[in-house]
Amino acid sequence: MTGLNDAGSGDVKKLYISRPIIVEGKFDRERLSRFVVGTIITTDGFAIFNRREKLALIRRMADAGDGIIILTDSDGAGGVIRSYITSAVPKEKIAQLYIPRVKGKEKRKKNPSREGTLGVEGIDDVTLYRLLLPFSSDAPKRARGRDITKADFYAHAMSGCEGAEKKRDRLAAELGLPSGMTPNALLSALNVISDADEFEKIIGRIDGVKND
């Protein structure tokens, strides 16, 4: 078969990804290694803040190739690590991927995370596979509409006006993305997983229930 089925890994077509993927820990790396052939770099959590050589390596790898993929957890800690790396690497060299916020606890842990959500290691294989598939060297080419722009955000009251942050959070929730994303971060994520046509449909749903 091609890809993953809903039951799990099973008979998997490997994803050959040239961009290094940045994750937080070794269990995240092990999870992706089930179906990814490529370089997966761990930050070792917050240890990256004290390891200048690790950040320097990430910068060099981003500059040397097509860039990097950041796939940290969609919680506060993951956001801090993501921001730290993003501040050190040119934005055009970064693909920002976000896992959905799913309540739960990884099997190996005694207690859930502070925010009670799953990290990369706990998200189902199908979701992770679909997130990374567009970056595979043998990914099927799909037709897509135009990219979403800052002008689209402004036109739909998602930036530059009162209530824009709340509306962005509603859009993020529709797509399983974390809340509190900046306009630029959300725009970058949307253009990985969606296009302007899909964006308009989702905004239509949000506007249709805004007074409920």
Side-chain angles (χ1 to χ4, degrees):
M1 62 174 284
T2 300
L4 295 169
N5 57 37
D6 291 334
S9 297
D11 183 13
V12 178
K13 180 178 181 181
K14 297 287 188 177
L15 299 179
Y16 290 83
I17 298 178
S18 61
R19 298 190 191 194
I21 305 170
I22 314 302
V23 297
E24 292 182 44
K26 66 176 183 179
F27 293 103
D28 302 332
R29 180 178 59 202
E30 290 173 4
R31 187 60 180 273
L32 296 186
S33 293
R34 297 180 187 182
F35 49 84
V36 169
V37 178
T39 301
I40 304 173
I41 300 173
T42 65
T43 69
D44 301 318
F46 288 146
I48 192 172
F49 296 126
N50 299 315
R51 297 183 60 185
R52 293 182 179 178
E53 73 282 0
K54 177 63 72 74
L55 188 62
L57 171 64
I58 292 172
R59 281 200 300 260
R60 285 199 299 271
M61 297 188 81
D63 290 339
D66 296 328
I68 60 173
I69 297 169
I70 301 180
L71 184 59
T72 55
D73 296 348
S74 290
D75 58 8
V80 170
I81 294 169
R82 183 187 294 273
S83 294
Y84 180 67
I85 298 171
T86 299
S87 69
V89 177
K91 64 180 181 179
E92 65 271 13
K93 288 285 188 175
I94 301 175
Q96 303 275 12
L97 297 188
Y98 298 83
I99 60 171
R101 292 179 65 87
V102 178
K103 293 291 185 181
K105 177 184 73 68
E106 282 81 10
K107 293 181 179 179
R108 69 177 180 86
K109 296 180 179 177
K110 292 183 178 179
N111 300 305
S113 67
R114 178 179 297 180
E115 296 179 28
T117 55
L118 295 175
V120 170
E121 67 170 285
I123 294 297
D124 66 276
D125 287 348
V126 173
T127 296
L128 293 173
Y129 191 96
R130 288 173 177 168
L131 274 175
L132 291 164
L133 178 60
F135 299 93
S136 176
S137 59
D138 58 349
K141 301 299 182 182
R142 72 176 182 90
R144 60 169 286 144
R146 68 173 179 83
D147 282 348
I148 306 158
T149 66
K150 291 182 179 180
D152 292 320
F153 269 27
Y154 185 79
H156 290 287
M158 295 187 60
S159 66
C161 64
E162 185 177 353
E165 182 176 359
K166 184 176 180 180
K167 193 168 185 181
R168 289 197 303 272
D169 283 349
R170 294 189 68 175
L171 175 63
E174 283 275 339
L175 295 168
L177 297 172
S179 60
M181 297 175 71
T182 65
N184 285 340
L186 181 57
L187 186 63
S188 176
L190 287 174
N191 278 322
V192 170
I193 63 177
S194 186
D195 60 25
D197 289 339
E198 182 64 22
F199 170 76
E200 293 288 345
K201 292 177 184 177
I202 297 172
I203 288 297
R205 292 201 298 269
I206 292 174
D207 289 342
V209 299
K210 65 182 180 180
N211 294 320
D212 288 356

